[in-house]
Amino acid sequence: MRRQIIGMGGGGFSMEPDNPVMDRYILEQSGRPRPKVCFLAGASGDDEGYIRGFLDAFGRLDCRPSCLRLASLPAEGAEAFLLSQDVIYVGGGDTHRLMRGWREAGIDGILRRAWEAGIVLAGLSAGSICWFEEGITDLEEGVFDRVEGLGLIPGSHCPHYNGCGWQEGYRRMIASGGLGAGLALTDGAAAHYAAEDGSEEPVALLRIVGSRPEARAYRLGGEGDEHELPVELLR
């Protein structure tokens, strides 16, 4: 059994509404016909416009989309519902709010069980940071903070590496010891991680894919030194 995580620095239906190549790629990794995909929008406070955007966009793809709202979880059945999915797709927003809400509701444990069950985990921005041990998140424009993730992927993570202040903030936090070494992705880039049953490695980076020619990915070392990684452009 392959366990998979696909984290986007930014992109997908909400940022590239006319370019569904990344969302199609995520769905294809399930290996299922018409996969069931559930959207978790807790980082945005379950913004209804965001949820409608997901349902509309994925309703045009060959899948069965749904949403589970953090603000109104069913008294029972949330775990069974999530574990019945083929793909769980986490939206962007406030990463601190997302992780706090998940821990209070026990969603963090359910997502670990989803990972162990081979359900594809994916997301962008906050929905990418959440899978790592830690990451950088913005409190306001140009002001950044460390946030603790689920730890399914070792190291730290920075999305939106081409965005205002993100590159400088991430380098600075690593160099000062505020974050460990890790992976940075620009908008349009996604890191595809996988773990195989019986493998000595708990999780490995399979490839980095891009939805646009300018998509970039970088590995940052303990001093904030930056090494560019190859990106495969999706068609």
Side-chain angles (χ1 to χ4, degrees):
M1 182 180 68
R2 171 176 282 188
R3 301 183 297 279
Q4 302 179 83
I5 298 174
I6 303 167
M8 294 179 276
F13 75 96
S14 61
M15 297 184 70
E16 297 181 285
D18 298 322
N19 181 20
V21 63
M22 190 70 79
D23 293 332
R24 284 199 184 112
Y25 177 82
I26 290 169
L27 294 174
E28 287 166 1
Q29 305 319 304
S30 73
R32 301 292 183 91
R34 296 197 67 238
K36 293 185 287 184
V37 52
C38 179
F39 187 46
L40 301 182
S44 69
D46 292 326
D47 181 83
E48 289 299 329
Y50 198 15
I51 292 169
R52 284 195 303 273
F54 169 83
L55 295 174
D56 288 346
F58 278 74
R60 295 190 291 273
L61 301 177
D62 190 19
C63 66
R64 290 169 283 170
S66 62
C67 173
L68 189 65
R69 292 166 175 80
L70 184 59
S72 56
L73 291 174
E76 53 186 46
E79 179 169 3
F81 179 75
L82 285 174
L83 295 183
S84 73
Q85 301 299 307
D86 301 306
V87 179
I88 295 173
Y89 190 120
V90 182
D94 184 333
T95 316
H96 279 301
R97 173 167 56 186
L98 178 69
M99 299 309 303
R100 184 171 58 249
W102 278 0
R103 289 175 179 130
E104 289 173 353
I107 298 297
D108 55 339
I110 296 173
L111 291 173
R112 289 181 185 278
R113 291 189 284 279
W115 158 254
E116 292 165 358
I119 296 167
V120 177
L121 306 177
L124 74 153
S125 191
S128 183
I129 296 167
C130 64
W131 311 118
F132 288 77
E133 289 180 321
E134 57 180 352
I136 179 174
T137 186
D138 57 336
L139 300 177
E140 56 185 77
E141 186 172 336
V143 179
F144 299 96
D145 191 22
R146 176 189 179 274
V147 62
E148 183 177 344
L150 294 178
L152 299 177
I153 302 171
S156 69
H157 178 48
C158 176
H160 307 304
Y161 202 57
N162 55 324
C164 181
W166 286 84
Q167 185 179 70
E168 296 80 4
Y170 191 44
R171 288 175 174 173
R172 185 171 58 250
M173 289 183 73
I174 290 178
S176 68
L179 281 175
L183 179 75
L185 299 172
T186 68
D187 294 343
H192 185 172
Y193 287 85
E196 304 281 357
D197 276 359
S199 171
E200 294 182 2
E201 295 293 330
V203 65
L205 180 60
L206 284 185
R207 64 181 63 88
I208 298 170
V209 295
S211 59
R212 56 183 92 164
E214 65 271 23
R216 296 290 183 271
Y218 303 90
R219 180 72 68 187
L220 273 76
E223 302 299 321
D225 49 308
E226 182 183 277
H227 304 280
E228 187 167 0
L229 302 174
V231 177
E232 304 172 31
L233 183 62
L234 297 174
R235 301 293 184 180

